[in-house]
Amino acid sequence: MDDEYWMRHAFALADRAEREFDEIPVGAVLIGADGQVLGEGWNRNIADHDPSAHAEIVAMRQAGGALGNHRLVGCTLYVTLEPCAMCAMALVHARVARLVFGASDPKTGACGSVFDLVADPRHNHRVEVVGGVLGDEAGRRLTNYFRAKRGRPLV
């Protein structure tokens, strides 16, 4: 799989979150074992009044509907920011095979930064994790979103 290609696709989704909904710009796309897009999403917490509507959850819900199954076996999730604990455990429960993320999250990251929930040996499923794909660009995009909100110069 072309990790950078799909990460750029996730960036485009993150751009929509910011541009169309003024949401924190995080985007996610879930690719099936056959290489087809099964689900995509961006943060919708504010727009949907839903604390669970993170980009990863939105993409996984769409994929589950497309497959007619709550298991996303053999799939890869691309997301611009390292998943939080809620999203990390959703990946485990859905049996996602592989996670590729852009920027690490030093505050709430749960896939290697603050916590490493997906690798915990007590789970009956492990998710392969590749972090830092286009990570500098992913981090800069998020930093600039928050800097703009605070009226500070972009980096």
Side-chain angles (χ1 to χ4, degrees):
M1 281 194 190
D2 185 346
D3 291 347
E4 288 191 8
Y5 173 84
W6 290 116
M7 188 60 67
R8 292 199 186 285
H9 184 93
F11 285 164
L13 297 168
D15 289 345
R16 285 191 68 186
E18 181 176 1
R19 183 178 64 248
E20 297 176 25
F21 300 95
D22 197 26
E23 296 269 3
I24 296 172
V26 176
V29 58
L30 193 114
I31 307 301
D34 62 357
Q36 298 300 306
V37 174
L38 294 174
E40 56 185 29
W42 52 84
N43 278 6
R44 298 189 51 90
N45 308 73
I46 299 165
D48 290 356
H49 312 290
D50 180 353
S52 70
H54 288 189
E56 302 95 318
I57 301 295
V58 173
M60 286 191 284
R61 284 179 180 153
Q62 194 177 90
L67 292 173
N69 196 333
H70 67 290
R71 298 283 192 230
L72 305 173
V73 176
C75 294
T76 298
L77 180 77
Y78 293 88
V79 62
T80 58
L81 179 65
E82 179 183 1
C84 69
M86 173 184 69
C87 295
M89 287 311 301
L91 290 164
V92 171
H93 289 298
R95 307 293 193 266
V96 169
R98 190 166 175 259
L99 164 68
V100 180
F101 68 83
S104 295
D105 186 341
K107 292 183 180 175
T108 63
C111 298
S113 290
V114 180
F115 308 102
D116 198 358
L117 294 177
V118 295
D120 192 304
R122 294 170 288 188
H123 300 308
N124 60 1
H125 176 73
R126 304 286 177 288
V127 178
E128 176 191 340
V129 177
V130 178
V133 173
L134 300 177
D136 290 342
E137 182 178 349
R140 188 170 43 259
R141 287 165 163 267
L142 285 159
T143 296
N144 282 336
Y145 170 80
F146 288 110
R147 289 181 75 87
K149 285 279 184 201
R150 295 176 181 109
R152 298 175 63 201
L154 305 184
V155 294

